[in-house]
Amino acid sequence: MQIQALFFDLDGTLYPNGVGIWNAISEKMNIFMNQELGIPIDQVPNVREGFFHKYGTTLRGLQNHYDIDPADYLNYVHNIPVNEILKPDNRLRNLLVQDKSRKWILTNSDRDHSGRVLEALGIRDQFEGIVDVWATDFKPKPAPHFFETAMRTAGLSDPNSIIFFDDISKNVLGGKEFGFVSVYVGEGTIAEGIDHQIMTIHDFQKIKKDVLSPSE
Ligand SMILES: [Mg+2]
């Protein structure tokens, strides 16, 4: 099997969940919804939970239920000290440099935040491009529209030739349904239907070597 490209989610995939980025963004989301939209603070978690399950992201829910400017929201919630939280990952950088596959970022966040994260990790130059919520009309992963946009943007046509890494089960399952070789990145028990798991992104080449080309 020929692998044409590697598609990587950003947050929680290229660095471990739990380092504090998500908590910082999440806190900003709560404050935005309370202060800018007037949602009582004790109701915010429930509203967000509902949006996440129904629409895939809090932003998509807010767009459907409140008259918000996505740029305002994205700037607000991503205004966090990424550089203080994330440090350069030289090991990951070396692995990416060694791997000659084409590489893209597919993120439900935005390109400015993605750029800051990649910069902080020291791997920004290792990716051909970023497919974000602006590029996909705010239809987040796992919508087929998102994956189609990514394929078109990267100039690729065969989903079976792409390995897709993500730390959210429903994105991994959506990617699999779309035709990607889809990999869950993270520890713990994986959801039913997920075929591949790596504990850390540093193992991304294992999928290529062990599963796709066992003779190599
Ligand atoms: Mg993620």
Side-chain angles (χ1 to χ4, degrees), residues 9-15 17 106-108 141 165-168 171:
D9 170 48
L10 181 86
D11 293 302
T13 294
L14 293 184
Y15 61 84
N17 265 317
L106 274 67
T107 178
N108 283 348
K141 291 175 286 181
F165 300 89
D166 203 295
D167 68 306
I168 293 182
N171 293 343

